[in-house]
Amino acid sequence: MTSTPPLPTSTPPLPQKLLTALAVACLIPLIDTSVVNVAIPRVVSDLNVAVDRAGWVVTGYMIATGVGMGISAGLSRYAGLRRTWMGAMVVFTAASLVCGCAPSCDALIAARAVQGLSGGVLTPMVQAIIVAVAGRERMRDALGVIGIPAVAAPAIGPLLGGWLTTSLSWRAVFLINVPLCLVALLLEGRAIPQESHPEISLDIIGGALLAVGLGSGLLGLSWAVEADPRPLLLCTAASILALTVFTVHSRRVSEPILKASLLSHRSIGTTFGLSWCVGATFYAFLFAYPVTAHHTFGTSMTMIGMALGIQGVGAFIGRRLLATSLRTMSSFTLLSGGLIGTALTTLPFSMIDVLGNLWAVSGLFLIRGALLGIVTIVLLGACVENVDPADAPHASALIRIGLQIGGAAGIAATTVMVSLGTTVTFVGISGCAGVGALLAAPSALRSTPRVPAGKP
């Protein structure tokens, strides 16, 4: 049976300034993943470049984010959580400023790559900091701070990007990050633990291998729907080779940049597989719904954005449920049940009558948002519940990488499914959530309820 740490009956409150800073730090990179998409047409016209060239503003960010996630754990172990977090925030702020002032597309692409790299470091760092500050007992409650942005940010991004681009300029999409990042840096204070190990050598070889493996893998997924299969095959081969060599290398060094060996731990291996399913389910739907709603019913992008925003409201409801009525349920029980519910609330979108009914869509989004909010928060906590605190940054990075790769794979698959029809698209997305539920089921059956401290 998988045991879960007891819950405290009374604990001092978590520092609100720190939680606010971490929420901002989590929200900004996630919004930046989707906010730029709607600004690309303006970038093309203002900088006088081809669409495929401007597309690297998005692709370069996605690839660099994956690489940043991979090296974040090793950097935090070497330099400490506080220095790594603050350093990544400063670099992200500076890169955002350069993006907003970029004189050419090449400069914008380069700055976006730096922005993605630092954003990739930031995202798992937020999770590791919460584990260090809150401890395992209060981790699930604290992770709600980043669980809601994880669900709401990709929906808010396109709406915010469209408004900024139309009302101001495409440059405002990047410049708005600067004051937000400065607020996060000011709020942070000294609440983040600082425990560095300068005596440890930074695993540069492992970092390079991981960068090639993750970068080429994500690049290959971005080319998955191209007519010419050679780029996909070449990137896939390079990714498999680099990651295989990295795995061998990481077992031979005392402090690898990322502890891939943690995947042999049952709970981490399961949550890593679940992160692929959750990422694919979430981002595939986020891609498929606007396309089908707009093309089939002519739904405006504003209405689509509002519908997706309801999902964020649902995520907040999910967080409240976790803190109250679902507080004693085990992580994998919640993951399995939440993914079953997500599958069931995704399936109705395959019916034309439902897809064209605004009230039905709004209700489904509210329920689906609550379920995804629960799944996301619990997934981020489940990966570190039973590992050594020193390994929490590595476990967090692995799950974030899984979400990133799963999301890229889900979008690539949905691009193909959309051409086959609405029914195939949403049945396929629902099936992906169902696979995740099945993956979590064995661990759910072995788990025991979370029992509050002081109770038998």
Side-chain angles (χ1 to χ4, degrees):
M1 300 285 284
T2 303
S3 60
T4 311
L7 301 173
T9 52
S10 62
T11 52
L14 292 165
Q16 289 303 311
K17 285 187 177 181
L18 174 62
L19 291 181
T20 303
L22 293 179
V24 172
C26 180
L27 185 66
I28 296 172
L30 290 172
I31 285 183
D32 259 50
T33 303
S34 59
V35 73
V36 179
N37 294 344
V38 294
I40 291 298
R42 292 290 181 89
V43 172
V44 169
S45 60
D46 286 4
L47 298 181
N48 193 26
V49 293
V51 174
D52 58 346
R53 181 68 175 167
W56 279 96
V57 173
V58 176
T59 304
Y61 181 90
M62 178 192 70
I63 294 170
T65 298
V67 173
M69 289 176 177
I71 65 174
S72 62
L75 285 176
S76 67
R77 175 73 172 163
Y78 176 75
L81 287 174
R82 187 192 305 157
R83 288 195 191 116
T84 303
W85 185 83
M86 295 190 72
M89 280 294 293
V90 169
V91 172
F92 189 91
T93 306
S96 298
L97 184 61
V98 174
C99 284
C101 302
S104 67
C105 189
D106 289 341
L108 179 58
I109 291 170
R112 275 288 281 175
V114 175
Q115 192 187 42
L117 186 68
S118 55
V121 172
L122 272 175
T123 309
M125 278 299 92
V126 170
Q127 189 175 341
I129 290 167
I130 283 180
V131 173
V133 173
R136 291 176 179 171
E137 294 81 7
R138 297 183 293 171
M139 180 176 57
R140 185 183 286 182
D141 292 338
L143 283 173
V145 173
I146 62 174
I148 292 177
V151 176
I156 295 171
L159 200 61
L160 179 63
W163 178 75
L164 288 172
T165 303
T166 303
S167 303
L168 299 172
S169 163
W170 64 265
R171 297 181 184 276
V173 169
F174 303 106
L175 294 176
I176 194 174
N177 290 336
V178 177
L180 293 175
C181 290
L182 292 176
V183 167
L185 284 167
L186 290 173
L187 287 174
E188 178 272 337
R190 295 192 171 275
I192 298 176
Q194 174 57 36
E195 183 184 349
S196 59
H197 298 272
E199 73 279 1
I200 296 174
S201 299
L202 193 61
D203 182 17
I204 297 175
I205 295 176
L209 289 169
L210 196 58
V212 172
L214 292 175
S216 57
L218 289 167
L219 180 60
L221 287 172
S222 70
W223 283 336
V225 295
E226 298 294 329
D228 186 357
R230 287 176 295 181
L232 171 61
L233 294 175
L234 181 62
C235 287
T236 301
S239 178
I240 292 173
L241 178 61
L243 292 176
T244 300
V245 176
F246 167 76
T247 301
V248 174
H249 167 80
S250 66
R251 293 179 181 276
R252 293 181 176 179
V253 296
S254 57
E255 291 291 339
I257 196 79
L258 180 66
K259 291 185 178 180
S261 59
L262 287 176
L263 291 175
S264 61
H265 192 292
R266 177 181 289 171
S267 64
I268 298 178
T270 302
T271 50
F272 182 70
L274 283 169
S275 68
W276 281 60
C277 296
V278 172
T281 301
F282 182 76
Y283 285 101
F285 183 90
L286 205 62
F287 176 83
Y289 173 70
V291 172
T292 52
H294 183 68
H295 289 170
T296 305
F297 297 100
T299 308
S300 69
M301 295 308 296
T302 301
M303 291 301 296
I304 289 172
M306 291 176 66
L308 290 172
I310 294 173
Q311 189 165 270
V313 176
F316 181 80
I317 294 173
R319 181 193 175 192
R320 295 302 305 163
L321 289 173
L322 274 179
T324 54
S325 56
L326 302 180
R327 187 174 177 82
T328 60
M329 293 186 69
S330 69
S331 294
F332 287 101
T333 301
L334 286 168
L335 286 169
S336 185
L339 286 168
I340 290 172
T342 301
L344 293 175
T345 52
T346 301
L347 202 55
F349 286 91
S350 64
M351 307 172 191
I352 296 296
D353 291 341
V354 173
L355 195 60
N357 187 321
L358 183 60
W359 288 106
V361 166
S362 299
L364 287 169
F365 266 120
L366 189 67
I367 299 170
R368 196 173 186 275
L371 292 167
L372 281 171
I374 291 169
V375 167
T376 303
I377 293 169
V378 174
L379 179 68
L380 296 176
C383 68
V384 293
E385 276 185 351
N386 299 305
V387 301
D388 189 287
D391 290 333
H394 294 271
S396 302
L398 285 168
I399 299 310
R400 287 292 183 176
I401 290 170
L403 288 168
Q404 184 83 354
I405 297 174
I411 291 173
T414 305
T415 304
V416 176
M417 290 191 296
V418 164
S419 64
L420 300 176
T422 301
T423 301
V424 172
T425 300
F426 289 104
V427 169
I429 297 171
S430 179
C432 184
V435 169
L438 290 174
L439 185 61
S443 295
L445 293 173
R446 287 191 300 265
S447 62
T448 55
R450 292 161 59 92
V451 181
K455 291 188 177 182

